[in-house]
Amino acid sequence: MFKRILVPTDGTERSANAVKGAAGFAKALGAEIVLVTVIEPYSYTNLSEYRPETIEQYDERVTADAEERLDFAQRLCKDMGVETVRTEMVKSFSPAEAIIELAKLNHCDLILMASHGRKGIAAVLLGSETQKVLTHSQIPVMVYR
C-alpha cells in the first residue's frame, strides 16, 4: 500500500507524537519514513532594524536546531523498529509548499503530519500548514491528532 511516508516535524510535542504514530504505521507496512523539517529563511525585509545576530549566526542557529529535531525524530523511528529512515531539511517561507514539494521529490505516497489543533479565530488568523497541505497535496495526507 504505502511504501514511503513523508513526516514533517517542527519539534513540538504534537509533532513528536505524529512521528511516533507514523513509525508504528510504517513498521506495520514495512514502509520507509522521510522525516522533514522546514527552516524559515532569514528575513531581509527589515534589514534596517537592529538585529542581535548576523545572517551567518542565524543560519548556524536554525540549522543546529533543525538537525536536533531531525535526530530526535529519527531516534524515535529507529527505537520503534523502522528500518529505513531518511531526513531532509529545507528553507522556505511556506512550510506547506516545501512539504508538498519534498513529498514529490522523494516519491512519497503518503504525508502523515500533526495538526496543532487551533480552533476558532486562532485557526483563521494564524492559518494552518496542515490545512494548506491537505488542500494542495496531490497525494494522500493523514492527519495525526
Side-chain angles (χ1 to χ4, degrees), residues 10-65:
D10 62 6
T12 61
E13 186 177 338
R14 283 183 187 258
S15 180
N17 288 336
V19 169
K20 290 177 192 172
F25 191 59
K27 184 175 182 203
L29 297 174
E32 174 183 348
I33 288 185
V34 179
L35 296 167
V36 173
T37 194
V38 180
I39 301 170
E40 185 174 340
Y42 191 86
S43 176
Y44 293 95
T45 58
N46 298 321
L47 283 178
S48 62
E49 292 180 15
Y50 169 73
R51 297 284 182 143
E53 60 188 355
T54 65
I55 295 170
E56 292 80 17
Q57 289 169 328
Y58 174 82
D59 281 341
E60 286 176 18
R61 179 177 55 80
V62 297
T63 299
D65 290 346

